[in-house]
Amino acid sequence: MRFVWAVIAFVLAAALIGAGIAQRTVFLGPDSASTRVEIEEEQPYILVDAEVFRAHTGTQTLEVSGAEQVFVAYGRTADMEAWLSDAPYNHVTLNDAGEAVTESVPAAEPTWEGPEYPGRSPAGSDLWLEEHSAENEFSKRLQLPEGVSVLIASDGHAPAPSEVSIVWPISNATPWVGPLIAAGALLLLLGVILYALGVRHVRRSRGPRRKGTVLPPTEPIAVGRRGRRGAVTAGRPAKEISTAEGPAADDAAADGAAADGAAADGAAAEQPNGSVGAGGAGDSGEPTSSPDDSSSGPRRGGRRTLLALPAMGLTVALLTGCSPDVWPQFTASPTPSPTETVVAPENQQAPAMTDAQAEKIVADVAETVAEADETRDADLAATRLEGIALQMREVNYRIRGEVDDYPAPLAIPGGRVRILLPQAFDEWPRTAMLVVEEDGAENAPPSIMTVSQADPWARYKVSSVASLEASAEIPKLAPWYFGAALVPPDSSFLSIPPSELGAAYADILAKGEKSEFATMFDLESDTFRAAVEEKRAATLAELNKTGEETASLEFQQGPGPGEPTALATLESGAIVAVTVDEVDLVRSTAEGALIKLEGDRPLVALTGEETVPGVKTTYTDQLFFSVPAQGSSEKIRLLGYSSGLRDAEILETEG
């Protein structure tokens, strides 16, 4: 029965090992799938839809060739379609059968004059999440999320590359190969053991089974001795045998031989396994083994066991050479950490900017503005600045052209975007608010800024920028992937409408705690108001040194230029950016007296005069406030500010 079980184990082992090997050879599937985009009509752009890249799971490898210059960018599908709305292009989508098809799309809103599209370079657009340029061919592994498409072009004027293909890796892992081969190896080992046990059992049961001759009860058993040839004599002493003569002696010898034979047969019957005895020794007296000795059985079984070692070695080699793809992979699921639940409003639109876009935009803005500040190039600054931020730069460049040691404006950092609050809006113009830290500048305060994009083809521009106060407490904001609503200037849902915030704070600068709006603001943490009071006191003291009797100084304040920008917070409040103008009016009070500006070179640079009857100096403050919701017990808090000289003009008369 042991042999039967051994054969069954061998058959099962062969089946399992064969099945495992077959999975990695005969039945192994392909490791990749590919789709080739067929282009029938040449266009300057190719838009490969997001669903094409998600036709298979896993990362995608995009391969593009067929043009001297290759440009590839990817971004949100809606943004790319908006950018291509005034241009013809080839749109690659999936049909109902899951195959990639190409459709030529004409310009939806043509803006050019002439019969043909003049072309536009796609490089440098702020809508792209990432862009790449190469010569002749391009290949890159991508892992695009849902809703992200790819734009392919040459230079925006020449036809787009004609060779486009997408390759996906397909998992051909065979996780049961390892277990199958391992199980087969165990069964093979079990079969070898069962076979060895069967052979051992057969060898033990192969010896003689007959009984020896029973001696007469009166016949003594002689003690034998060895003869010359090793024969055994029994019975009487040797001298009696050797002296016997005649027939009696012959009869006695015959009887003794018969007795000897019977004794020998009895001894053999008592020792079937060949133990040392009367007939089992040679001339030397040592025990000898017969050819049928059962002790040779285990040794032969051992040789058969050694025959199974090559098979076991092959199995071990197969298991050792297998990759992790042949074993089941068990990974522990990460324990989710509790996060604050944010529920987006129904039908809320997508955020105007992603975190990847913000990093790229901020880095480019910082680099461009830094170059403009160094060269005092207002035109270059205008490519990334607008509104009050650009006006302040233009005035600074003008003064620095006349005054060498005049300080440069507040630099725009290009480091990490600590906070991003984009407007949730699919159309244009779009707005976002950012808090940016400068890399490597541990002591420098972060900057808070607002940026806006006028249309799909425009670049994001900074409209206001300020330094964040060290003690500023940013209210709770929605994650960037939700975005926030743009609060209208006349909103009544805030404790004060954004359009009235600048005038209310200007009144506080003028009257302090006596202002009617004082109870609405957190004046204790407002360091900017204290700085304004100190500056005004120093200006008045300087004037009184030389012109107390001949000149007068008056301080005015009011809302600054530009519309406020407000983005909603999670607690129904808003972060509001406004401007406030501080005006210093210096007039001559004595007839014929003039105001000397020799000690104030920035004013000389702006007015072009060193002595004037009067001068009006305007400083503009860019301010960011946290405004609570209507009915909230919280107060309006100042988050950040920046201030600079914006204008100076001559007053001809006292009136």
Side-chain angles (χ1 to χ4, degrees), residues 481-548:
Y481 45 83
F482 280 157
L486 188 67
V487 179
D490 58 349
S491 173
S492 60
F493 294 100
L494 301 178
S495 61
I496 186 171
S499 59
E500 300 177 10
L501 179 61
Y505 191 73
D507 190 69
I508 289 179
L509 292 180
K511 302 175 183 178
E513 296 180 357
K514 296 180 181 180
S515 171
E516 60 177 308
F517 304 102
T519 57
M520 301 175 61
F521 288 79
D522 182 6
L523 300 182
E524 293 182 0
S525 63
D526 189 348
T527 59
F528 176 72
R529 185 176 68 90
V532 170
E533 292 178 354
E534 292 179 3
K535 185 193 72 171
R536 289 182 172 183
T539 303
L540 183 58
E542 185 68 24
L543 179 66
N544 290 336
K545 289 181 180 180
T546 57
E548 183 178 1

Side-chain angles (χ1 to χ4, degrees), residues 219 222-227 231-260:
E219 184 72 16
V223 177
R225 64 182 182 85
R226 299 181 184 275
V232 178
T233 60
R236 291 167 295 183
K239 64 180 182 177
E240 295 180 3
I241 297 175
S242 60
T243 57
E245 297 178 357
D250 295 338
D251 294 338
D255 293 338
D260 292 342

Side-chain angles (χ1 to χ4, degrees), residues 252-505:
D255 293 338
D260 292 342
D265 290 341
E270 292 174 0
Q271 300 178 7
N273 291 332
S275 301
V276 177
D283 294 339
S284 61
E286 295 297 328
T288 59
S289 298
S290 67
D292 294 336
D293 196 337
S294 63
S295 62
S296 64
R299 290 197 296 270
R300 290 183 180 181
R303 289 193 295 270
R304 289 188 178 93
T305 303
L306 292 177
L307 294 177
L309 291 180
M312 291 293 295
L314 175 61
T315 303
V316 173
L318 288 173
L319 291 174
T320 304
C322 288
S323 65
D325 291 342
V326 302
W327 291 97
Q329 301 296 316
F330 302 99
T331 56
S333 301
T335 303
S337 57
T339 56
E340 184 177 0
T341 302
V342 179
V343 180
E346 188 177 357
N347 299 325
Q348 177 166 305
Q349 301 182 34
M353 183 186 299
T354 67
D355 58 342
Q357 284 178 286
E359 296 284 350
K360 182 171 68 76
I361 291 169
V362 164
D364 188 76
V365 168
E367 182 181 355
T368 302
V369 174
E371 182 181 351
D373 290 346
E374 183 178 357
T375 59
R376 304 193 305 273
D377 188 346
D379 293 336
L380 179 60
T383 61
R384 281 302 191 180
L385 301 176
E386 66 179 2
I388 189 62
L390 179 59
Q391 293 181 35
M392 300 300 289
R393 239 66 183 191
E394 291 173 340
V395 173
N396 183 273
Y397 297 166
R398 181 178 169 187
I399 296 174
R400 288 170 57 205
E402 302 290 337
V403 183
D404 295 336
D405 57 351
Y406 192 74
L410 175 67
I412 296 179
R416 183 175 69 94
V417 178
R418 198 175 86 183
I419 297 176
L420 170 61
L421 185 63
Q423 178 188 4
F425 193 46
D426 292 334
E427 304 298 328
W428 280 266
R430 296 176 171 181
T431 302
M433 191 171 295
L434 307 92
V435 175
V436 185
E437 293 179 339
E438 182 63 57
D439 292 335
E442 298 180 358
N443 298 326
S447 293
I448 182 170
M449 65 185 75
T450 57
V451 297
S452 59
Q453 186 183 34
D455 54 58
W457 309 281
R459 310 182 80 183
Y460 274 97
K461 297 183 179 182
V462 177
S463 54
S464 60
V465 59
S467 294
L468 197 68
E469 286 209 86
S471 60
E473 296 182 7
I474 303 295
K476 293 183 179 180
L477 306 175
W480 68 262
Y481 45 83
F482 280 157
L486 188 67
V487 179
D490 58 349
S491 173
S492 60
F493 294 100
L494 301 178
S495 61
I496 186 171
S499 59
E500 300 177 10
L501 179 61
Y505 191 73

Side-chain angles (χ1 to χ4, degrees), residues 198-243:
V199 171
R200 182 171 178 268
H201 176 73
V202 170
R203 292 301 183 189
R204 282 187 173 183
S205 61
R206 185 177 294 180
R209 299 179 180 273
R210 70 181 184 277
K211 295 182 179 180
T213 304
V214 180
L215 296 175
T218 59
E219 184 72 16
I221 300 176
V223 177
R225 64 182 182 85
R226 299 181 184 275
R228 185 176 59 182
R229 292 181 174 272
V232 178
T233 60
R236 291 167 295 183
K239 64 180 182 177
E240 295 180 3
I241 297 175
S242 60
T243 57

